[in-house]
Amino acid sequence: MIVTTNLASAILMGVFLVAVVGVVIRLRASRSGPTRQSTAADLPQTAAGTPRSTAETGPGGGSSATPIGWVIGFLGLVVVAGGSAVAFVAGNAPSGIGPQMIGAVLVVVLGGLLCSYLFSGVYLSLRSHGRKSAEATGVALWLLGLLVVSVIAARLVFLA
């Protein structure tokens, strides 16, 4: 009975999350206002020998202007990490791997997700406020380092 209740709750929260994302996307589209017709002056200037696909997507091959791939990848990681955490708490560990090892891997994966979310938030915030890429990266890394030192200091003070 409890498992059915938890499953129904998880499904309802997923539907709610999709609804919230849909509302946010519609609000952003309505706030952007009417679009105007683009002219030749709006097109990016590229070298004559540069292929069109490289000019649009950049040297890495992926488009940084439309981050839907990043969003899907991040949501996939969250789903996998959340499912693994639920399986770990329920006691569904694969044979041959101890629960301590699975717990350590989950802590590393969830900590990595949290740190990457914090890093990307600080980085994108600084870039949107006119800072250069190197400066934004430095501040984001400095903040992550400060967070790690704070956690270590808290453990030393409260667990010693």
Side-chain angles (χ1 to χ4, degrees), residues 11-89:
I11 290 172
L12 286 174
M13 285 305 293
V15 170
F16 179 70
L17 177 68
V18 169
V20 168
V21 168
V23 168
V24 168
I25 289 173
R26 285 189 177 202
L27 286 175
R28 282 187 121 183
S30 67
R31 285 186 184 172
S32 65
T35 58
R36 64 179 184 89
Q37 190 70 11
S38 62
T39 62
D42 295 335
L43 296 175
Q45 300 296 323
T46 60
T50 305
R52 182 178 176 144
S53 62
T54 306
E56 290 176 353
T57 61
S63 177
S64 61
T66 57
I68 191 70
W70 287 102
V71 171
I72 291 172
F74 182 75
L75 289 177
L77 281 174
V78 168
V79 166
V80 167
S84 301
V86 169
F88 174 70
V89 170

Side-chain angles (χ1 to χ4, degrees), residues 71-156:
V71 171
I72 291 172
F74 182 75
L75 289 177
L77 281 174
V78 168
V79 166
V80 167
S84 301
V86 169
F88 174 70
V89 170
N92 298 334
S95 61
I97 301 174
Q100 290 178 344
M101 182 66 168
I102 294 174
V105 168
L106 278 174
V107 166
V108 168
V109 169
L110 293 174
L113 282 172
L114 182 66
C115 288
S116 65
Y117 183 72
L118 178 66
F119 177 85
S120 64
V122 171
Y123 177 82
L124 292 174
S125 176
L126 288 171
R127 289 290 292 160
S128 69
H129 285 88
R131 301 293 184 188
K132 294 182 180 176
S133 178
E135 187 178 1
T137 303
V139 170
L141 288 175
W142 176 80
L143 186 63
L144 281 178
L146 184 65
L147 181 68
V148 168
V149 169
S150 299
V151 167
I152 292 171
R155 288 193 58 160
L156 287 173

